[in-house]
Amino acid sequence: KSPTIVDKSAALRVAARRIAWAKTMNAGQTCTAPDYVYVHEAKMEEFVDAFKSSVHEFYSAHVAQSSDYARIINTKHHNRLTGLLEGLEIIHGGAHDVRSLFIEPTLVRGDWNSAIMKEEIFGPILPVFTYSDLEEVITKINTQPKPLALYVYTEDKKVRAQIISQTSSGGVAVNDSIVQVVSDTLPFGGVGDSGMGAYHGRHSFEAFSHAKSTLVRSTYFDPSIKYPPYMSNLKNIRRLMRFF
């Protein structure tokens, strides 16, 4: 579950637009999609409005009729996703149609006790939490399995450095989402539960190559201390240790 943090210093309109794009790309069915977002409480209303505006900008007010918006891969996953909405407060969206495998881009009020926070969503549903204390957000993220990606939206270098240094994830993107995957100069991969190893560019070569270790020793000096009988050698070692 790749988290997103939207700091109070973030450029909100740009942040919401980029998060909406990343969350609705292929209807959220990408492994690096933002899975949930923490928004500073002072920016929550502005974030929601900007997210809605971005969805309308991308897909019009009638998302179901947009040729640019994808569908859920099959009925099983459509039903799984709509099932995750049960009992949640829907902030925006929520429309769905199993016949066309359509689920509208949806914002829901975050609830750590809900089913949606127990698994990777892999769909166009985004739980939103508010926060006032960044330390608490970092602590909560660190109690979860390590994510494949972590996204930070901030104009504050200290906040950026704090989040990057105090969390662990496969990769981090600052003031954008998903685009870190397309860089051939950055290694792409997970850590812990999100996977091991990395690839892309030179890192792909290294990932699929074996570094063969080779030791070459001189025959000029061959001390007997490594050879049996060990007990007599141990006595010699003890004698030597007296001088150190």
Side-chain angles (χ1 to χ4, degrees):
K1 296 181 73 65
S2 297
T4 299
I5 300 173
V6 180
D7 177 51
K8 61 183 177 181
S9 70
L12 247 294
R13 294 290 163 180
V14 175
R17 191 170 189 240
R18 292 178 179 178
I19 292 168
W21 168 78
K23 188 59 176 177
T24 60
M25 177 193 295
N26 199 36
Q29 297 166 110
T30 64
C31 62
T32 52
D35 199 89
Y36 61 97
V37 58
Y38 271 100
V39 181
H40 192 275
E41 60 184 10
K43 299 292 184 176
M44 177 62 170
E45 186 176 346
E46 186 180 351
F47 174 81
V48 172
D49 288 344
F51 186 94
K52 293 178 183 178
S53 296
S54 298
V55 170
H56 289 170
E57 174 192 344
F58 300 156
Y59 308 111
S60 81
H62 306 286
V63 183
Q65 299 173 20
S66 172
S67 60
D68 294 307
Y69 187 68
R71 295 297 184 264
I72 305 305
I73 186 65
N74 56 36
T75 302
K76 176 183 176 181
H77 286 289
H78 181 280
N79 292 340
R80 177 186 66 85
L81 288 165
T82 54
L84 293 176
L85 290 174
E86 293 180 7
L88 293 177
E89 178 187 346
I90 295 176
I91 301 172
H92 171 72
H96 54 85
D97 176 33
V98 68
R99 293 171 299 177
S100 61
L101 299 177
F102 168 76
I103 297 179
E104 183 181 11
T106 301
L107 293 179
V108 298
R109 189 78 62 185
D111 178 359
W112 279 103
N113 294 317
S114 64
I116 203 168
M117 297 307 296
K118 307 301 182 186
E119 61 182 81
E120 184 181 0
I121 298 170
F122 216 72
I125 305 168
L126 184 63
V128 184
F129 298 83
T130 58
Y131 77 94
S132 59
D133 187 343
L134 182 59
E135 291 283 354
E136 292 181 1
V137 174
I138 291 172
T139 298
K140 186 62 180 181
I141 289 173
N142 287 338
T143 64
Q144 306 305 308
K146 294 182 179 181
L148 182 57
L150 186 146
Y151 303 117
V152 184
Y153 287 84
T154 182
E155 299 297 317
D156 188 324
K157 292 182 179 180
K158 290 183 179 179
V159 169
R160 178 180 72 190
Q162 180 182 2
I163 295 170
I164 293 173
S165 65
Q166 294 181 11
T167 60
S168 178
S169 59
V172 177
V174 178
N175 292 330
D176 213 337
S177 300
I178 293 185
V179 295
Q180 79 279 6
V181 175
V182 304
S183 172
D184 64 358
T185 61
L186 290 175
F188 172 65
V191 59
D193 293 274
S194 58
M196 300 298 290
Y199 66 106
H200 281 186
R202 172 73 187 181
H203 305 284
S204 296
F205 175 80
E206 293 173 350
F208 297 105
S209 300
H210 172 67
K212 181 170 65 177
S213 58
T214 303
L215 172 68
V216 179
R217 290 196 63 195
S218 169
T219 57
Y220 177 74
F221 180 63
D222 192 33
S224 61
I225 198 168
K226 75 174 184 180
Y227 301 112
Y230 295 119
M231 291 309 295
S232 60
N233 285 339
L234 183 60
K235 292 177 182 178
N236 292 331
I237 292 173
R238 285 173 176 164
R239 290 194 190 100
L240 287 172
M241 292 298 293
R242 292 173 186 170
F243 298 99
F244 298 96

